[in-house]
Amino acid sequence: MKVLGIETSCDETAAAVVEDGVSILSNQIASQVEIHARYGGIVPEVASRQHILAIIPIVQQAMAEAGVSLDSMDGIAVTTGPGLAGSLLVGVNVAKAIALAHGLPITGVNHLEGHIYANWLGNDTPRFPVVCLIVSGGHSDLVLMKGHGDYVVLGRTRDDAAGEAFDKAARILGLGYPGGPAIEQAARNGTASIKLPRAWLKGSSDFSFSGVKTALLRLVEGGGISNGADAAASFQEAVIDVLVTKTVAAAKEHRVKQILLAGGVASNRFLRHWLVENSPIPVLVPEPVLCTDNAAMIAACGYYRFQAGKVDGLDLDVVPSLKLT
Ligand code: KG4
Ligand code: ZN
């Protein structure tokens, strides 16, 4: 079964063709990052307009790369939320138009569910039950998954998401946007020698990253940082220490077979390495390009939704604040 995936929830316009939920035939992404970098963050109105310009060419490129036509597709999967309403609408409406014109079934995909399914696009197929850590610009969720489409959210952030914390810390340190890759890059030349707080929230699988961000801000404002690389390395380690420790604890508690990583922050090499090193339970991590926003993960998730008979009508709508459960 060939599924066309479409993703426009934030600042990447993406289309991909995935066969049977596992084989990527094409994966095209038009990033708006350079446009939003001028403003130091995503401007929703600008994002919607860019999606409108990019969506048709990117779908055509995905078809060309896969060497297939829209008529040979078996279904369309499109992100319906969470995300920016104006951005989501572009993808959903284009998906509905293609579905109508080519007589294809359509299924709406939760963007977070999509991130999890990036783990099905690798060489090893995940074995249930799993605990998945989804760390992106808007979310830090720990999820127990016992089967396809079966999610129990064990914990989530009480304030800033992990990616959001990286973006804010990079702004504090004058490292630019997007902050995650900038902090990772800067941290390579530093050591984690600055003491920063960790919010363990004992007895809970929730996260909190606003304290470590504020501690960094106070240090910078007080002139207590002489080496930006050390500050970046210390911040990165403080966030990742908590993410890894709490993920491994949840995985042990629920006796899962595997731990999955997902979301833009999962492309961080330090996080990938530290989790693998510190987990007695096998860890699966998607390729970096499949961790940040893409449409292959949406198509992979869509495949399993189609398998479960989850087909939507042409009244499919966006849900900007969509939750996982
Ligand atoms: O999943 P994603 O591409 O978009 C959302 O769904 O939010 O995640 C974007 C987030 C941004 O906050 C970005 O700074 C962060 O992921 N990120 C990273 C890295 N690459 C992207 N954070 C830490 N280290 C990275 N290498
Ligand atoms: Zn995302």
Side-chain angles (χ1 to χ4, degrees):
M1 180 182 197
K2 290 192 192 75
V3 175
L4 166 64
I6 294 180
E7 155 64 41
T8 63
S9 68
C10 196
D11 60 343
E12 328 277 356
T13 317
V17 179
V18 171
E19 189 154 27
D20 298 335
V22 291
S23 311
I24 300 176
L25 303 187
S26 64
N27 192 20
Q28 293 286 327
I29 304 169
S31 176
Q32 306 174 4
V33 71
E34 279 172 23
I35 296 164
H36 297 292
R38 282 183 232 151
Y39 307 100
I42 295 162
V43 183
E45 180 65 25
V46 173
S48 324
R49 287 168 188 269
Q50 283 303 122
H51 284 307
I52 289 171
L53 293 175
I55 187 74
I56 301 294
I58 220 72
V59 169
Q60 287 171 334
Q61 283 171 30
M63 291 294 124
E65 188 194 350
V68 294
S69 66
L70 286 170
D71 283 325
S72 68
M73 290 296 102
D74 300 299
I76 303 181
V78 62
T79 307
T80 54
L84 302 168
S87 292
L88 290 163
L89 273 168
V90 177
V92 168
N93 283 317
V94 165
K96 288 203 276 191
I98 297 173
L100 184 63
H102 295 269
L104 297 171
I106 187 168
T107 191
V109 171
N110 181 317
H111 180 79
L112 300 172
E113 216 179 330
H115 272 303
I116 296 174
Y117 274 86
N119 283 282
W120 269 261
L121 295 166
N123 293 328
D124 298 324
T125 306
R127 283 176 290 123
F128 295 119
V130 300
V131 153
C132 183
L133 174 68
I134 313 170
V135 268
S136 68
H139 295 82
S140 302
D141 292 352
L142 252 182
V143 180
L144 173 65
M145 201 178 164
K146 292 184 179 161
H148 290 293
D150 175 356
Y151 310 102
V152 178
V153 178
L154 304 172
R156 45 170 55 112
T157 184
R158 294 187 184 172
D159 39 60
D160 293 348
E164 187 183 356
F166 270 95
D167 293 335
K168 288 179 177 170
R171 209 173 299 154
I172 291 168
L173 295 172
L175 292 174
Y177 170 88
I183 296 250
E184 180 176 359
Q185 179 69 27
R188 278 199 205 127
N189 303 316
T191 52
S193 52
I194 301 165
K195 251 186 111 185
L196 288 171
R198 278 110 164 114
W200 293 110
L201 308 177
K202 281 228 159 48
S204 159
S205 288
D206 282 351
F207 299 104
S208 166
F209 297 114
S210 70
V212 60
K213 171 202 68 191
T214 306
L216 182 70
L217 179 64
R218 296 273 176 275
L219 275 175
V220 170
E221 283 176 345
I225 304 270
S226 54
N227 183 324
D230 286 353
S234 304
F235 179 84
Q236 176 173 260
E237 188 170 297
V239 171
I240 288 173
D241 186 10
V242 176
L243 289 174
V244 167
T245 305
K246 298 194 84 151
T247 302
V248 172
K252 282 183 185 163
E253 185 185 337
H254 293 277
R255 299 168 185 278
V256 298
K257 290 208 177 98
Q258 282 177 325
I259 293 176
L260 312 183
L261 252 188
V265 182
S267 60
N268 183 291
R269 280 187 222 162
F270 190 72
L271 168 60
R272 299 160 78 91
H273 182 72
W274 206 348
L275 182 57
V276 170
E277 288 290 299
N278 288 284
S279 173
I281 297 160
V283 177
L284 281 188
V285 192
E287 266 184 67
V289 70
L290 297 173
C291 290
T292 44
D293 288 350
N294 66 87
M297 67 186 195
I298 304 300
C301 181
Y303 169 80
Y304 288 98
R305 288 181 62 83
F306 282 126
Q307 292 296 304
K310 294 175 182 167
V311 176
D312 288 297
L314 288 177
D315 57 349
L316 181 66
D317 204 354
V318 304
V319 187
S321 59
L322 189 62
K323 298 269 182 299
L324 200 52
T325 44

